[in-house]
Amino acid sequence: ADGTPVIGLEPSCLLALRDEFYSLSLGPQVGDLGKQAFLLEEFLMREGNKGMKLKLKALPTKKVLVHGHCHQKAFGAMKSVRKVLGWIPDLEVEFIDASCCGMSGSFGLEKEHAEASRQMAELALLPAVRRADEETMVIADGFSCRHQIREGSGREPVHVAMVLARALA
């Protein structure tokens, strides 16, 4: 009620909650609550647009490869990911042109869906990650996306929050 922001790191949790506020019968305040729920990148972009500056330094890696979570794409939140990563000096940011990683929460972990999940990841995501050189950092905000990338490529993807933490001056 006092306008305190609610900030989340997991796109499926925060964005599904924001989307579902209306169906939870929370009363007339639900509209205001939805306006106060942000992914970390959305919040940082909002504050950056108001003049906040993070003191960031260049990273040892010069390039990152980013996979967007389905919820981030559906809610238009990838713009904020691009913006905040752009604050890191000398960092080349490339977005993987892929649809869903195939994991979709627990879907890809279920025996009857595991093969379909892997096939989805092999359409574009995993080949793009495998083509990236070892110095390129792989970013994925979604927990299930990181799991799929780790299992399918052997690479260790990280959340944008970790990248920003490493870049703090």
Side-chain angles (χ1 to χ4, degrees):
D2 66 0
T4 301
V6 175
I7 301 168
L9 296 177
E10 173 58 41
S12 61
C13 294
L14 188 279
L15 294 172
L17 181 62
R18 187 162 76 194
D19 190 43
E20 295 297 322
F21 281 155
Y22 291 95
S23 63
L24 295 174
S25 301
L26 299 175
Q29 301 86 355
V30 73
D32 294 333
L33 181 58
K35 293 174 189 168
Q36 290 303 112
F38 302 95
L39 287 172
L40 175 66
E41 302 92 338
E42 292 175 314
F43 178 75
L44 292 174
M45 185 176 86
R46 181 187 85 157
E47 295 304 303
N49 290 340
K50 293 178 182 178
M52 179 202 73
K53 301 278 188 228
L54 288 179
K55 192 170 182 176
L56 301 172
K57 64 180 188 276
L59 295 168
T61 184
K62 297 300 174 204
K63 183 176 180 181
V64 294
L65 188 60
V66 181
H67 171 67
H69 187 284
C70 291
H71 278 91
Q72 286 174 300
K73 293 173 188 172
F75 281 83
M78 293 307 295
K79 178 175 84 171
S80 59
V81 173
R82 181 180 302 279
K83 175 92 172 187
V84 299
L85 287 174
W87 295 345
I88 300 172
D90 306 318
L91 187 65
E92 180 186 341
V93 180
E94 180 183 337
F95 286 82
I96 300 171
D97 186 17
S99 61
C100 180
C101 73
M103 189 60 73
S104 189
S106 65
F107 174 85
L109 297 174
E110 297 165 353
K111 184 177 179 179
E112 65 270 22
H113 302 125
E115 183 57 30
S117 171
R118 282 190 290 277
Q119 288 175 359
M120 288 176 69
E122 289 295 347
L123 291 174
L125 172 60
L126 292 178
V129 170
R130 288 188 201 108
R131 282 192 302 271
D133 62 49
E134 286 299 314
E135 288 76 40
T136 298
M137 187 183 305
V138 179
I139 298 173
D141 280 358
F143 175 83
S144 57
C145 302
R146 290 193 304 275
H147 179 84
Q148 185 79 302
I149 291 168
R150 186 180 312 108
E151 292 295 314
S153 73
R155 297 290 295 266
E156 188 61 44
V158 296
H159 192 285
V160 169
M162 298 302 296
V163 178
L164 291 170
R166 292 173 187 172
L168 286 173

